[in-house]
Amino acid sequence: MSKISKPQSCLQCPYKWKHLNLLSDDDIRSIRQNCTIIRFKKGETVCKQGTDATHVLYLAKGMVKLYIEGEKNLILRLIKAGEYIDLQTLFGDNSYRYSVAAMDDTEVCMINSEHIRKLAEKNSAYLFELTKVISDSGNYFYKKISDISSKHLRGRLADALLYLADEIYENKEFDLGMTRRELAEMSSMSMENAVRILSELKADKIISVKGKRIKILQYDILKKLSDIG
Amino acid sequence: MSKISKPQSCLQCPYKWKHLNLLSDDDIRSIRQNCTIIRFKKGETVCKQGTDATHVLYLAKGMVKLYIEGEKNLILRLIKAGEYIDLQTLFGDNSYRYSVAAMDDTEVCMINSEHIRKLAEKNSAYLFELTKVISDSGNYFYKKISDISSKHLRGRLADALLYLADEIYENKEFDLGMTRRELAEMSSMSMENAVRILSELKADKIISVKGKRIKILQYDILKKLSDIG
DNA sequence: AAAAATAATTGTTATAAATCAATGTTTTTA
DNA sequence: TAAAAACATTGATTTATAACAATTATTTTT
């Protein structure tokens, strides 16, 4: 964590967050007053499971992982620049149920929660949109929880690869921006098994693997592996 | 599903839902106009995974299970009288990510979603409270997802028993209002293993089991089993 | 550039959990 | 009330997955 700064103006910010259009120029200026940009280096912890959330976190640059700490970690999702890291703590119980760490060099806007709550309270269109984001983020976990509990190794790793290709990198070829251990933590399996299945998929020519470079060669088959679990 | 009726008045309803105090008498009357009470018999499906939600569901009487359908079902939580069955679909994507079925004879108030959205839009205090409920319901799943993916059979069954005792029946002794198969679906394991572990816990005098009647004899040890996973 | 640390890979072994099987019990239905 | 169906129980077997171990490759530090 380093280099603390105030944004010049949220209006001109290239990483302008969603729903800013619902706020008045005055409100946006007030956000600037209550916002601090913090830079995190790869690997640094952005927020820690169990602590109290005092700020809304918005990811302006880079990528972070949202994960649950335990004897073995479980990565629930990755967050790209231009997304809220967390809104769940804004209205409900305000302690973090997960930790967040930087996957590369990132910039995070931290806006005082109380301030956002005040803006939301007097602007129901804005609150409405925030609530939508919270709802959808909850909905995402229904599928995740059922996938994790019902699918086998191959299906779960297929899920992780499809998630990376479809949701994160939006490309069938991508640099896996993480270690094999983290890929395993995304798919809830041991690191050795993640490596093994990666090798199997490679041997079956479903994907190509060169170090961190992964290319999905047979998307449909990978999809099928995900489906049959 | 049977016996469709309109509530006499939501104001006098003994199962009055939360946050009604934030609405004007007129609003509450308008809810009555948009509300239908439907009775479900044990086992009946209240809502089906994949279909579109057009109504907010409020459980006035009885108990329902919220579960994800698949080759093997996964029961995510039970809902008691006096709780919303679902709010997630109110603001976000409006298709059900899960199914809901009655565990006993139940009464469900079904209120037109569009109507609630309108009320919420012009009453931000009300919207605020609904958002809190949605947030907390999402938060619940963080723990659930990590428990399911990291704990072993014994830890998961201990979780289910503690959930029933602490959250649902609020008593260390209770009638398991479900089959062994459903208990297994709550703990994400095979029915046979749920039975086996129940027998083990009984042999170890941690619980007593007589048919559906379960009593937690050594709460602290059960808690420890849940903790160590 | 060498040394140390971390990450990746593959094979082997041990363990957890599902499935299969057989049987007894309770509940529902005719 | 008898028969059928669903539920519960316990043991044996198979399968999936984690843990262990040994080796090589890559990255980081000195």
Side-chain angles (χ1 to χ4, degrees):
Chain A
M1 188 169 101
S2 71
K3 271 216 167 187
I4 291 164
S5 65
K6 288 260 171 215
Q8 296 297 310
S9 156
C10 293
L11 279 166
Q12 272 110 55
C13 173
Y15 311 111
K16 219 176 347 221
W17 29 306
K18 287 162 184 164
H19 322 312
L20 226 50
N21 58 311
L22 296 169
L23 297 175
S24 70
D25 284 5
D26 267 2
D27 284 347
I28 294 175
R29 262 186 287 277
S30 78
I31 284 180
R32 186 188 158 278
Q33 294 305 318
N34 288 276
C35 174
T36 309
I37 298 175
I38 304 202
R39 292 186 184 76
F40 291 90
K41 283 210 281 285
K42 185 177 177 167
E44 282 185 307
T45 299
V46 174
C47 66
K48 180 79 181 171
Q49 187 175 319
T51 61
D52 279 347
T54 53
H55 291 76
V56 168
L57 307 179
Y58 178 80
L59 188 59
K61 201 181 145 199
M63 171 123 50
V64 299
K65 62 176 174 182
L66 189 153
Y67 65 106
I68 292 181
E69 292 192 52
E71 213 160 315
K72 45 175 200 168
N73 293 342
L74 177 67
I75 297 177
L76 292 179
R77 62 191 197 99
L78 303 178
I79 297 157
K80 293 195 287 186
E83 303 272 338
Y84 290 105
I85 292 175
D86 166 80
L87 281 180
Q88 218 88 20
T89 56
L90 188 51
F91 300 104
D93 182 315
N94 76 332
S95 75
Y96 289 119
R97 305 304 172 94
Y98 44 76
S99 290
V100 174
M103 300 289 281
D104 46 29
D105 292 356
T106 63
E107 290 181 18
V108 176
C109 303
M110 302 182 120
I111 310 109
N112 186 280
S113 297
E114 194 48 42
H115 184 70
I116 296 285
R117 271 195 293 269
K118 269 181 197 143
L119 291 182
E121 206 153 17
K122 62 169 192 177
N123 181 338
S124 79
Y126 183 57
L127 174 53
F128 217 86
E129 293 303 318
L130 293 184
T131 305
K132 267 190 195 169
V133 174
I134 295 172
S135 295
D136 286 337
S137 134
N139 273 334
Y140 167 77
F141 290 111
Y142 287 112
K143 181 149 175 53
K144 184 84 185 167
I145 205 167
S146 113
D147 286 348
I148 281 189
S149 78
S150 70
K151 291 185 183 179
H152 286 179
L153 294 178
R154 209 152 292 118
R156 296 209 302 274
L157 198 88
D159 282 340
L161 293 174
L162 290 169
Y163 173 72
L164 291 169
D166 294 342
E167 314 284 327
I168 301 300
Y169 298 109
E170 299 176 50
N171 200 317
K172 284 182 181 131
E173 185 169 7
F174 53 86
D175 268 314
L176 186 71
M178 64 182 82
T179 64
R180 301 292 197 260
R181 163 148 281 120
E182 285 174 310
L183 180 64
E185 287 171 358
M186 278 189 70
S187 339
S188 187
M189 63 182 64
S190 71
M191 182 263 278
E192 292 92 327
N193 276 334
V195 169
R196 216 183 303 274
I197 290 160
L198 226 40
S199 300
E200 285 172 23
L201 295 176
K202 185 186 173 185
D204 295 342
K205 306 230 184 298
I206 296 166
I207 62 173
S208 81
V209 183
K210 274 189 239 104
K212 299 261 189 222
R213 193 80 189 162
I214 290 183
K215 186 174 183 179
I216 298 178
L217 301 171
Q218 301 190 64
Y219 185 88
D220 291 349
I221 293 187
L222 202 58
K223 199 92 183 170
K224 182 138 260 170
L225 285 178
S226 156
D227 282 344
I228 60 177
Chain B
M1 188 169 102
S2 71
K3 271 215 167 188
I4 291 164
S5 66
K6 288 260 171 215
Q8 295 299 308
S9 157
C10 293
L11 279 165
Q12 270 109 55
C13 172
Y15 313 111
K16 220 176 346 223
W17 27 306
K18 289 163 182 165
H19 323 314
L20 225 50
N21 60 310
L22 295 169
L23 297 175
S24 70
D25 284 4
D26 268 3
D27 284 347
I28 295 176
R29 264 186 287 276
S30 79
I31 283 180
R32 186 188 157 278
Q33 293 305 318
N34 288 276
C35 174
T36 308
I37 298 175
I38 303 200
R39 291 184 185 76
F40 292 91
K41 284 209 280 288
K42 185 175 178 169
E44 282 186 308
T45 299
V46 175
C47 66
K48 181 78 181 171
Q49 185 173 322
T51 61
D52 279 347
T54 54
H55 292 75
V56 169
L57 307 179
Y58 178 79
L59 187 59
K61 200 181 146 201
M63 170 123 48
V64 298
K65 62 177 174 182
L66 190 155
Y67 64 105
I68 292 181
E69 292 192 52
E71 211 159 317
K72 46 176 198 168
N73 293 342
L74 177 67
I75 298 177
L76 292 179
R77 61 192 195 97
L78 303 179
I79 297 158
K80 291 195 289 185
E83 303 271 338
Y84 290 105
I85 292 176
D86 167 80
L87 282 180
Q88 218 87 22
T89 56
L90 188 52
F91 300 105
D93 182 314
N94 76 333
S95 76
Y96 289 119
R97 306 304 173 95
Y98 44 76
S99 290
V100 173
M103 300 289 282
D104 46 29
D105 292 356
T106 63
E107 289 181 18
V108 176
C109 303
M110 302 183 119
I111 310 111
N112 186 279
S113 297
E114 192 51 39
H115 185 70
I116 295 286
R117 271 195 293 269
K118 269 182 196 141
L119 290 182
E121 205 152 18
K122 63 172 189 175
N123 181 340
S124 78
Y126 183 58
L127 175 52
F128 217 86
E129 293 303 318
L130 293 183
T131 306
K132 267 189 195 170
V133 175
I134 295 172
S135 294
D136 286 337
S137 132
N139 274 334
Y140 167 78
F141 290 111
Y142 287 111
K143 181 149 177 51
K144 185 83 184 167
I145 205 168
S146 114
D147 285 348
I148 280 188
S149 78
S150 70
K151 290 186 182 179
H152 287 177
L153 294 177
R154 208 152 291 118
R156 297 208 301 274
L157 197 88
D159 282 341
L161 293 175
L162 290 169
Y163 173 73
L164 291 169
D166 294 342
E167 316 283 328
I168 302 300
Y169 299 108
E170 301 178 47
N171 199 318
K172 283 178 182 134
E173 185 169 5
F174 53 86
D175 270 312
L176 186 72
M178 63 182 82
T179 64
R180 302 292 198 260
R181 162 147 283 119
E182 286 174 309
L183 181 64
E185 287 172 358
M186 279 190 70
S187 340
S188 187
M189 63 182 64
S190 71
M191 182 263 277
E192 292 91 329
N193 277 333
V195 170
R196 218 182 303 272
I197 289 160
L198 226 41
S199 300
E200 284 172 24
L201 294 176
K202 184 185 174 187
D204 294 343
K205 306 229 183 297
I206 296 165
I207 61 173
S208 81
V209 183
K210 273 191 241 102
K212 299 260 189 225
R213 193 82 188 159
I214 290 183
K215 186 175 184 181
I216 298 179
L217 301 172
Q218 301 191 63
Y219 186 88
D220 292 349
I221 293 188
L222 201 59
K223 199 95 183 167
K224 181 138 260 170
L225 284 177
S226 157
D227 282 344
I228 62 177

